[in-house]
Amino acid sequence: MKQQEYEQQNNWQLKLAVIIIIFSIYIYLYLSNSLEITLAKSWVFGLIVGFILQRSRICFTAALRDPFLFGLTKLSRALILSTIIVSIGFAYIQYQQQLNGLPVQGKFVPLGWHIPIGAFVFGLGAAVSGGCASGTLTRLGEGYKLQWVVIVGFIAGSVHGSYDASFWYQLIRSQKTTHLPQLVGWGNALVLQIIFLLFLYLLSYWWEKHKF
């Protein structure tokens, strides 16, 4: 009986997947023909990113939470490795921009009291809700009821944040912005960052072995 119910559930999911794929193709054709091709590309990009997030189970909150609650560091190590790859890519892009006399692209925020306060508030909300923005959207699509409540708070907080963001930026604008390549050079900055991230990777691996 359970086997039959399982097969019926799989058939229902397969039919739903076919409907979603057809609907997604229709949306792409509509956007590319009626509106802008950029919107169509954004639609495809969003679908790909969403699929990767759902299948990989990547959640930035879990990557920082699981080592302390469960002693698991698989997501933490994946996040560290991705940060190493991104660091190399961004360092190359920014270095080429500087060589060509272009302004270095990136959002550089001054170090100060606002970072630990913001991190605490974000971490508290993420721990209570069970995930960060990507994790919330993924679980929302999977049918978790809690995330319907979380997404309402997420939208309300985003609207309020956009309303008074200028006030908070005014408080930190006078502080000095620190860019590591400007202090020690591009090569040294990249090497130092990779060494630090590798240290965190080994530490997280040891932590999981120590916990279990």
Side-chain angles (χ1 to χ4, degrees):
M1 185 65 180
K2 291 184 178 180
Q3 181 66 24
Q4 185 178 2
E5 292 178 355
Y6 179 76
E7 292 178 355
Q8 291 177 353
Q9 184 178 5
N10 281 346
N11 292 333
W12 177 81
Q13 291 178 345
L14 181 60
K15 293 177 182 178
L16 180 61
V18 172
I19 294 174
I20 293 176
I21 292 174
I22 295 175
F23 178 74
S24 300
I25 295 175
Y26 170 77
I27 293 295
Y28 172 80
L29 295 175
Y30 172 77
L31 292 175
S32 59
N33 295 326
S34 302
L35 298 176
E36 294 183 7
I37 189 63
T38 304
L39 293 176
K41 293 179 180 179
S42 300
W43 169 256
V44 174
F45 180 77
L47 291 176
I48 294 174
V49 171
F51 178 79
I52 293 174
L53 287 175
Q54 197 276 333
R55 301 307 298 174
S56 63
R57 313 304 300 173
I58 284 292
C59 178
F60 296 98
T61 299
L64 300 174
R65 177 197 62 203
D66 289 355
F68 298 99
L69 292 183
F70 311 111
L72 302 175
T73 62
K74 182 178 180 179
L75 285 177
S76 305
R77 284 178 279 141
L79 180 61
I80 293 172
L81 288 177
S82 63
T83 304
I84 292 176
I85 296 173
V86 170
S87 298
I88 296 174
F90 270 104
Y92 174 78
I93 294 173
Q94 292 179 340
Y95 180 67
Q96 292 297 321
Q97 289 175 337
Q98 189 178 56
L99 285 180
N100 295 324
L102 300 174
V104 177
Q105 298 295 323
K107 189 173 182 61
F108 306 105
V109 180
L111 297 175
W113 54 268
H114 56 282
I115 294 180
I117 294 177
F120 174 78
V121 174
F122 175 83
L124 181 63
V128 172
S129 64
C132 55
S134 59
T136 297
L137 294 175
T138 301
R139 290 178 176 84
L140 182 66
E142 292 175 341
Y144 285 81
K145 296 179 181 179
L146 173 62
Q147 267 52 50
W148 287 101
V149 180
V150 174
I151 196 66
V152 174
F154 192 91
I155 295 173
S158 299
V159 172
H160 183 270
S162 63
Y163 175 76
D164 63 356
S166 58
F167 168 77
W168 297 106
Y169 278 119
Q170 288 292 336
L171 294 179
I172 65 174
R173 184 168 296 177
S174 60
Q175 301 181 26
K176 183 179 179 181
T177 301
T178 302
H179 191 215
L180 189 58
Q182 294 178 352
L183 299 178
V184 298
W186 286 94
N188 293 331
L190 182 60
V191 171
L192 287 175
Q193 180 154 320
I194 292 178
I195 291 176
F196 177 70
L197 291 172
L198 288 176
F199 169 75
L200 291 180
Y201 183 90
L202 295 175
L203 179 63
S204 62
Y205 181 80
W206 173 86
W207 180 266
E208 182 170 321
K209 293 297 182 181
H210 174 73
K211 281 291 183 178
F212 293 91

